[in-house]
Amino acid sequence: MRYISKLMVPGSQRRVLKDFLPFSAFLMDSFGRRHNYLRMSLTEKCNLRCQYCMPQEGVTLTPRSQLLTAEELLMLARLFLREGVNKIRLTGGEPLIRPDVLPIIAELRKLEGLKTIAITTNGMNLTRLLPSLKKTGVDLLNISLDTLVPAKFEFIARRKGFHKVMEGIEKAIEMGYNPVKVNCVVMRGLNEDELIDFVSLTERKPLDVRFIEYMPFDGNRWNFKMMVSYQEMLDCIKQKWPNLEPVPGEEMDTAKAFRVPGFQGQLGFITSMSDNFCGSCNRLRITADGNLKVCLFGNSEVSLRDFLRSGATEEELLHIIGAAVGRKKKQHAGMFNISQMKNRPMILIGG
């Protein structure tokens, strides 16, 4: 596999900024937020069809020729890393079904400045690939699991596979991942009755169960009545464990973290709808077809792929990226406005 060599621009603004500023101006928005965390989608394909992620009628996949190649992914990763990104999360679709996922991770691991490689996966292929992922250098795992009931799993995901996911979680623990993060999208009428069961998993296992408020994306038929708010979830859990205690976190953390005293693991809430954390957002996203999204819920995108393929220099790319980051709004539009806005289905953004 051939990769694009390092592009040097003598005397460029990038070099000047790197020499004299603590963080690249290209990755800092007008509100002073420093974007050091990049989420890169490797594929639009998935081997599940989860209701909150994929429209019931499916999605029209981008032609393969219009998706980022491994070479392009690595070139962009290298560029962002030089400007201050130090964490990259690989997403999809389902990233572990991309045939060259392991070579991509191996090349990422070689890049200067990269402290953390994380993967968000549905867990279906995890058991088989875990030894190679660990060896290649994956630091963090987020595994999606929305129910502990096999029949309900099949209803939500529109596919079988519950036992494969559970096996993957156990294997990750066995291989020393600590914590193993488990992402659970909570939807009224489907799985809000399982909150206690999920928290109970953290008693004897190094799990970080993260309850995610149901979010609107194109085609997922979001409605307010199905959303279970953070406060409602917290109140429910406190009825069982009134001694639930908050866990101090980092400023940039997306989850509000808690622990039941004496439990090995912990739990958290991702409160995008009821209590946004836009003020500390440090994340940027690149979709599988090469579009830069500065906000998950924003519908403005910039095609880095098109600029790359038209021969843009590193300096030109940085100015394009910097302009997009500079336009990032103070916060997203709020749950009711978001539900009316045109945006991609979640599977085409990158979970």
Side-chain angles (χ1 to χ4, degrees):
M1 188 180 297
R2 184 176 64 85
Y3 299 110
I4 293 174
S5 60
K6 292 185 178 181
L7 297 170
M8 298 303 296
V9 185
S12 70
Q13 184 178 353
R14 177 191 64 80
R15 177 172 289 178
V16 172
L17 288 166
K18 286 288 280 185
D19 286 346
F20 294 101
L21 288 179
F23 192 85
S24 170
F26 293 111
L27 299 187
M28 188 183 298
D29 66 19
S30 59
F31 304 97
R33 293 174 292 203
R34 300 178 175 191
H35 297 84
N36 64 345
Y37 178 4
L38 180 65
R39 302 173 67 105
M40 305 186 81
S41 176
L42 296 186
T43 179
E44 296 176 346
K45 295 179 179 179
C46 188
N47 43 8
L48 296 180
R49 297 289 183 272
C50 296
Q51 294 186 27
Y52 54 83
C53 186
M54 182 181 283
Q56 185 172 4
E57 65 275 14
V59 294
T60 301
L61 295 174
T62 303
R64 185 175 177 182
S65 63
Q66 295 178 31
L67 299 177
L68 289 178
T69 65
E71 184 178 24
E72 291 167 335
L73 278 163
L74 290 161
M75 187 273 163
L76 289 172
R78 192 179 293 119
L79 181 61
F80 277 88
L81 287 168
R82 288 186 210 147
E83 296 306 310
V85 163
N86 57 28
K87 178 178 180 179
I88 290 179
R89 177 175 295 280
L90 302 176
T91 68
E94 170 47 45
L96 297 186
I97 66 174
R98 179 158 171 156
D100 56 354
V101 61
L102 292 173
I104 288 172
I105 295 168
E107 292 300 317
L108 283 173
R109 191 76 275 174
K110 298 174 185 176
L111 298 182
E112 184 179 353
L114 182 55
K115 294 180 181 176
T116 305
I117 298 177
I119 287 185
T120 295
T121 173
N122 62 26
M124 294 287 284
N125 295 350
L126 192 57
T127 301
R128 176 173 58 85
L129 290 175
L130 253 176
S132 298
L133 292 171
K134 182 84 170 177
K135 182 179 178 181
T136 311
V138 173
D139 302 295
L140 299 175
L141 290 173
N142 286 44
I143 304 168
S144 298
L145 179 66
D146 303 306
T147 178
L148 298 174
V149 180
K152 202 186 290 187
F153 178 98
E154 187 174 344
F155 176 75
I156 294 173
R158 304 189 182 110
R159 294 289 186 274
K160 296 181 184 292
F162 172 78
H163 298 291
K164 286 185 178 180
V165 180
M166 292 302 292
E167 185 182 354
I169 291 171
E170 292 293 341
K171 182 76 170 178
I173 293 171
E174 178 188 318
M175 294 193 66
Y177 283 97
N178 186 359
V180 174
K181 292 186 177 181
V182 174
N183 292 345
C184 175
V185 177
V186 180
M187 296 163 284
R188 194 180 310 281
L190 282 179
N191 61 352
E192 88 278 14
D193 59 336
E194 296 187 60
L195 293 170
I196 301 303
D197 295 332
F198 270 100
V199 176
S200 295
L201 291 178
T202 71
E203 182 172 5
R204 294 186 175 87
K205 299 180 187 296
L207 297 177
D208 182 355
V209 175
R210 291 132 53 90
F211 298 114
I212 303 171
E213 290 180 339
Y214 182 36
M215 297 178 279
F217 292 97
D218 275 14
N220 73 354
R221 302 183 181 182
W222 182 90
N223 69 73
F224 176 70
K225 293 179 181 178
M226 282 188 70
M227 195 203 82
V228 184
S229 72
Y230 149 63
Q231 193 60 55
E232 183 180 342
M233 289 188 269
L234 184 63
D235 290 345
C236 172
I237 293 167
K238 280 188 170 181
Q239 289 180 19
K240 172 72 173 178
W241 292 286
N243 58 343
L244 190 71
E245 59 187 23
V247 177
E250 301 293 326
E251 181 187 357
M252 302 299 187
D253 286 349
T254 56
K256 295 174 173 64
F258 294 83
R259 182 190 302 275
V260 179
F263 280 25
Q264 189 175 350
Q266 65 180 51
L267 60 139
F269 303 90
I270 297 180
T271 62
S272 303
M273 296 293 94
S274 68
D275 186 11
N276 76 68
F277 37 84
C278 301
S280 61
C281 180
N282 66 335
R283 292 164 294 285
L284 299 172
R285 287 174 164 79
I286 297 178
T287 61
D289 59 351
N291 280 15
L292 175 66
K293 283 180 74 78
V294 298
C295 174
L296 174 62
F297 300 107
N299 53 14
S300 60
E301 302 180 3
V302 178
S303 177
L304 301 183
R305 176 204 65 203
D306 288 352
F307 284 107
L308 262 177
R309 294 183 182 180
S310 64
T313 66
E314 181 186 51
E315 185 175 16
E316 288 168 340
L317 280 169
L318 284 174
H319 281 282
I320 292 158
I321 293 165
V325 173
R327 292 191 296 268
K328 185 170 181 174
K329 296 178 180 178
K330 186 175 183 179
Q331 62 185 53
H332 66 60
M335 70 175 98
F336 295 109
N337 289 329
I338 290 170
S339 67
Q340 303 301 316
M341 288 167 56
K342 182 69 178 171
N343 196 2
R344 297 186 188 218
M346 187 65 183
I347 191 169
L348 300 184
I349 297 174

